[in-house]
Amino acid sequence: MSAISKPSDTLAFEPVLTRYIGKKDSHTLDFYLSHGGYDAAKRVVRDYKPDEVIDAVKKSGLRGRGGAGFPCGLKWSFVPKKTDKPKYLVCNADESEPGTFKDRVINEEDPHQLLEGILITCWAVGIETAYIYIRGEMWRGAQRLKAAIDEAYAKGYLGKKIFGKKFNLDVTVHRGAGAYICGEETGMLSSLEGGRGYPKLKPPFPAVEGLFRCPTVVNNVETLANLPHIFNRGIEWYRSIGTEESPGPKLFCVSGHVNKPGVYERPLGIPLRELIYDVCGGIPGDRGIRAVIPGGSSAPFLGPDELDTPMSYEGLKDAGSMLGSAGVIVLDDTTDLLSALLNVGKFYHHESCGQCTPCREGCGWVEKILQRMHDGRGRSEDIDLVDEICNQMVGKTICVLSDALAMPAQSVLKKFRPELEKLIAQGRPDVLCELAREPSPAL
Amino acid sequence: MSRELSPEAQKEFDWLVTRYPQREAAMLPTLRLIEREFGCIDPEGMKLCAQLIGCSPAKVFGVVTFYTHYKRETDGENVVYVCGTLPCALRGSDALADYLCDRVGIGLGETTEDRKITIKKVECLALCDQAPVCQVEDVDWLRVSKEKADEMLESLGIPKRETAGAAAGGEEKRS
Ligand SMILES: Cc1cc2nc3c(=O)[nH]c(=O)nc-3n(C[C@H](O)[C@H](O)[C@H](O)COP(=O)(O)O)c2cc1C
Ligand code: SF4
Ligand code: FES
């Protein structure tokens, strides 16, 4: 049973994770401390036993914000308690899913919030070494995080005997180098170990055998940033935001054809329509909506009749899509869906690491066939052909990058079939087949 | 003569390896260090990396070629990355890439003859609300119109077109 937040709740909502964004010097330790920073971590390390922390996080209902929505406390509890191996935390700051730009805001504008979350996690799980794996392209985020870490060491919040307890922690920023697949947790571990970013078969799951074959927690930036607030304001408060199955605030990234694209913090469960029209000011030129991708480019497309879908893990699952990274990409009714899907296909083909045949070949074939449909050389059997290839791509590979193309592709084939058939029958290029003819920042 | 790190860079490397329980894990940051020291990662740089890490040059080659963001010897002095994934494409990044290539006189993925500029497509730079987006070295160019593109090229030594209208404000440039 999900108690879906009413618009009134979402309107009265005060930002939690982003409340200091835009304030002068929000990224500095001085600023953070003068606003109660590190209080939660201090209290947790002094007053909580590790198990009590895990328990509280379980009770809070916090789910992973990186894409899969896996319960955070439960994931931590899979890490073996008795082991002579070191344990690691890897914070996933790779953020490369097209349409996703939320972690960047935390890394750049409130890095101490993330570090405080890391402290709480490491205390709970018994970790002494953490890495923040950040995309190579995000030079500013890396700088800000490094500076924040230096400040925290200087203050004794990192290093040895933190808060006077038997608690040591080292945190290191590790820059990636331009490969989407390093956002997948096991690909990230391979990359961090110094190799190509090849995903690894699960099981064993990282919690049991991860970085350097030791127990490893992998959590997204936004997931970790939630932790200080849970301990500052309590589980009950936390669960009062969002829905029963998806508690808490969420950063929604809205891009594409909306009047005010941006990162917006709202309770989980906000209806998609409210996000697009009330929060983002609707569609430029008051045009209609052709489709919305609700959770980054891996998520199945929603049609214009699905705008009342609640933006929660369960709400989008029920709608046959997923919340994913909450990267909401809005396509207005002038958008050529074939061009949009082709763009997505190209991306996944380019980013497939090539280890698994269904993914390596499948992404390539899907792209090729979409390209020929797009160029006016489509055949009447092409829609079924792409669908059949997609069937062969799902659930058959080491990681789910393969599914990440198959699922949105199949959603378009299914929901917009008549439109695609018409395009194929018409042949190209006599119909409009571009996404935009001009660079148009303002629309 | 084989290459060496400068004393400061060597110091940084010595610190780097203390951050990981296994030396090989310092591979990616060491490559960054070499990229910074020598301007790019060429075969000599890969050899140096192999020596520092204590692995074979073939291993380093395999790693370097997996990633797209290291500067290679075939790249120009400045690499202009044009974001091409969906949110940017919806706001005209294909047309922007064409425009840039046209003005510089090269194709996408190519380098000018004087080796000053390379133009490449890049995947989502996580700035989609500012689409279309470009990145040139350590500067993100946001909401890039044709006028802004001219301004960006001007910063790379390519004079503005006579016909270009008044340049758009530059505050959105991040440095
Ligand atoms: C192809 C692929 C790409 C991914 N990219 C990211 C990413 O950029 N950032 C992220 O946090 N998670 C990403 N994930 C999800 C991670 O594998 C992992 O589930 C997540 O980091 C776990 O953290 P969480 O439980 O806190 O969400 C990706 C997954 C896949 C399959
Ligand atoms: S599914 Fe694709 S990206 Fe994932 S491991 Fe296999 S080939 Fe690589
Ligand atoms: S698609 Fe260009 S920044 Fe995200």
Side-chain angles (χ1 to χ4, degrees):
Chain A
M1 262 243 315
S2 47
I4 292 160
S5 315
K6 297 280 174 310
S8 57
D9 302 345
T10 56
L11 287 178
F13 175 74
E14 275 183 36
V16 179
L17 305 168
T18 54
R19 61 189 164 164
Y20 300 134
I21 305 299
K23 300 243 156 67
K24 192 172 172 291
D25 296 329
S26 63
H27 59 282
T28 62
L29 183 59
D30 281 346
F31 180 97
Y32 196 63
L33 288 176
S34 67
H35 292 80
Y38 289 101
D39 280 359
K42 246 178 241 169
R43 209 154 11 80
V44 165
V45 172
R46 285 187 186 147
D47 303 344
Y48 284 64
K49 292 200 186 70
D51 271 346
E52 292 169 349
V53 185
I54 298 182
D55 211 45
V57 173
K58 272 189 189 162
K59 289 205 177 101
S60 76
L62 170 63
R63 298 174 67 167
R65 306 294 199 234
F70 195 82
C72 180
L74 188 61
K75 186 192 279 190
W76 295 358
S77 70
F78 295 152
V79 175
K81 298 255 158 5
K82 293 210 166 58
T83 167
D84 34 14
K85 289 182 179 172
K87 304 173 200 174
Y88 296 100
L89 169 67
V90 181
C91 168
N92 193 341
D94 197 55
E95 189 157 79
S96 9
E97 173 89 3
T100 313
F101 41 100
K102 61 190 180 64
D103 299 341
R104 171 192 278 281
V105 175
I106 297 175
N107 298 334
E108 293 183 357
E109 306 299 332
D110 203 351
H112 284 287
Q113 182 179 210
L114 173 59
L115 290 183
E116 188 170 5
I118 288 176
L119 273 168
I120 294 171
T121 309
C122 292
W123 174 252
V125 187
I127 292 169
E128 299 198 341
T129 311
Y131 298 98
I132 303 174
Y133 188 105
I134 185 166
R135 275 186 77 171
E137 290 88 346
M138 290 189 181
W139 52 272
R140 175 194 265 218
Q143 269 176 3
R144 286 269 165 97
L145 283 166
K146 279 181 190 165
I149 289 170
D150 287 347
E151 286 179 317
Y153 268 108
K155 196 88 184 168
Y157 295 168
L158 292 176
K160 302 252 182 282
K161 293 225 177 88
I162 299 166
F163 305 133
K165 295 286 270 197
K166 219 179 128 222
F167 177 35
N168 304 335
L169 178 61
D170 284 312
V171 180
T172 305
V173 174
H174 190 95
R175 287 180 70 197
Y180 168 69
I181 197 57
C182 293
E184 195 280 337
E185 55 185 9
T186 57
M188 170 167 293
L189 298 179
S190 298
S191 176
L192 191 42
E193 286 164 354
R196 301 183 137 220
Y198 285 142
K200 305 177 201 189
L201 266 180
K202 292 184 265 195
F205 287 92
V208 178
E209 195 180 306
L211 190 62
F212 311 120
R213 309 197 70 171
C214 297
T216 303
V217 170
V218 182
N219 271 136
N220 168 262
V221 169
E222 186 190 348
T223 313
L224 297 170
N226 270 272
L227 295 164
H229 308 288
I230 292 175
F231 289 93
N232 270 331
R233 302 176 70 176
I235 292 167
E236 216 170 292
W237 162 83
Y238 191 79
R239 293 204 70 110
S240 74
I241 304 169
T243 71
E244 179 67 29
E245 286 165 74
S246 306
K250 180 81 193 79
L251 303 182
F252 293 98
C253 325
V254 191
S255 66
H257 297 141
V258 288
N259 279 318
K260 293 187 287 175
V263 179
Y264 297 97
E265 183 175 358
R266 289 294 184 278
L268 278 160
I270 180 174
L272 178 56
R273 186 187 301 280
E274 190 181 325
L275 193 60
I276 294 174
Y277 287 97
D278 299 344
V279 179
C280 296
I283 315 299
D286 276 334
R287 287 187 290 273
I289 288 178
R290 166 123 335 147
V292 180
I293 308 177
S297 66
S298 327
F301 289 46
L302 297 176
D305 53 337
E306 295 174 288
L307 297 183
D308 294 312
T309 307
M311 296 294 287
S312 60
Y313 296 98
E314 68 280 9
L316 280 157
K317 190 160 167 255
D318 289 350
S321 187
M322 60 182 197
L323 182 65
S325 56
V328 181
I329 309 172
V330 180
L331 315 179
D332 74 15
D333 60 9
T334 66
T335 313
D336 173 41
L337 276 181
L338 199 45
S339 299
L341 186 58
L342 176 61
N343 183 292
V344 174
K346 279 192 177 141
F347 171 75
Y348 287 101
H349 182 208
H350 184 259
E351 297 300 326
S352 167
C353 85
Q355 288 189 100
C356 323
T357 313
C359 174
R360 184 186 62 235
E361 304 299 320
C363 291
W365 280 110
V366 169
E367 185 200 331
K368 265 194 195 126
I369 299 165
L370 290 174
Q371 183 78 59
R372 94 174 162 216
M373 286 159 71
H374 176 270
D375 294 347
R377 295 178 289 112
R379 304 170 191 169
S380 56
E381 69 271 21
D382 276 352
I383 296 178
D384 290 331
L385 183 58
V386 173
D387 194 45
E388 180 50 26
I389 295 170
C390 289
N391 283 336
Q392 302 300 331
M393 291 167 66
V394 172
K396 294 185 168 63
T397 49
I398 296 174
C399 85
V400 292
L401 182 137
S402 189
D403 309 51
L405 172 57
M407 291 184 314
Q410 286 187 309
S411 75
V412 173
L413 301 182
K414 192 163 149 237
K415 290 181 187 172
F416 303 94
R417 190 172 179 118
E419 186 176 330
L420 297 180
E421 279 170 346
K422 204 169 112 203
L423 284 178
I424 291 176
Q426 266 179 327
R428 300 277 183 131
D430 47 307
V431 288
L432 181 71
C433 56
E434 282 170 79
L435 291 174
R437 290 176 186 278
E438 284 280 313
S440 47
L443 285 178
Chain B
M1 217 185 62
S2 67
R3 270 195 197 155
E4 274 178 30
L5 291 180
S6 65
E8 306 87 79
Q10 182 66 43
K11 225 170 106 194
E12 204 177 322
F13 173 78
D14 293 339
W15 174 81
L16 265 179
V17 290
T18 65
R19 305 303 287 179
Y20 305 91
Q22 296 177 6
R23 212 174 165 85
E24 213 165 280
M27 180 85 84
L28 264 57
T30 302
L31 286 167
R32 283 281 176 215
L33 201 61
I34 291 171
E35 179 186 47
R36 200 182 68 207
E37 282 275 288
F38 305 104
C40 71
I41 296 173
D42 59 5
E44 282 301 307
M46 290 188 220
K47 263 193 233 161
L48 174 61
C49 182
Q51 272 167 21
L52 289 164
I53 296 287
C55 66
S56 71
K59 163 99 197 187
V60 179
F61 182 76
V63 171
V64 172
T65 51
F66 184 82
Y67 299 95
T68 54
H69 196 249
Y70 290 119
K71 192 174 260 189
R72 305 292 299 278
E73 72 275 20
T74 43
D75 292 333
E77 210 174 288
N78 291 287
V79 180
V80 177
Y81 284 110
V82 189
C83 178
T85 31
L86 189 56
C88 278
L90 290 172
R91 287 180 183 247
S93 62
D94 288 335
L96 175 61
D98 288 347
Y99 179 75
L100 287 168
C101 287
D102 211 44
R103 285 231 41 218
V104 180
I106 53 176
L108 206 53
E110 292 176 2
T111 302
T112 52
E113 236 163 74
D114 61 3
R115 311 216 61 78
K116 282 258 188 290
I117 298 177
T118 301
I119 303 180
K120 287 189 191 179
K121 266 243 162 87
V122 66
E123 327 318 324
C124 180
L125 287 167
L127 286 164
C128 324
D129 52 341
Q130 305 294 331
V133 179
C134 295
Q135 188 174 63
V136 185
E137 303 306 309
D138 279 0
V139 182
D140 299 324
W141 290 80
L142 311 178
R143 303 173 78 87
V144 186
S145 57
K146 280 186 180 169
E147 289 72 31
K148 197 85 158 285
D150 286 336
E151 201 186 306
M152 181 171 87
L153 291 176
E154 199 181 23
S155 78
L156 299 174
I158 296 184
K160 280 198 182 156
R161 296 167 306 165
E162 287 298 309
T163 49
E171 329 80 85
E172 284 139 345
K173 185 178 86 177
R174 297 144 55 105
S175 51

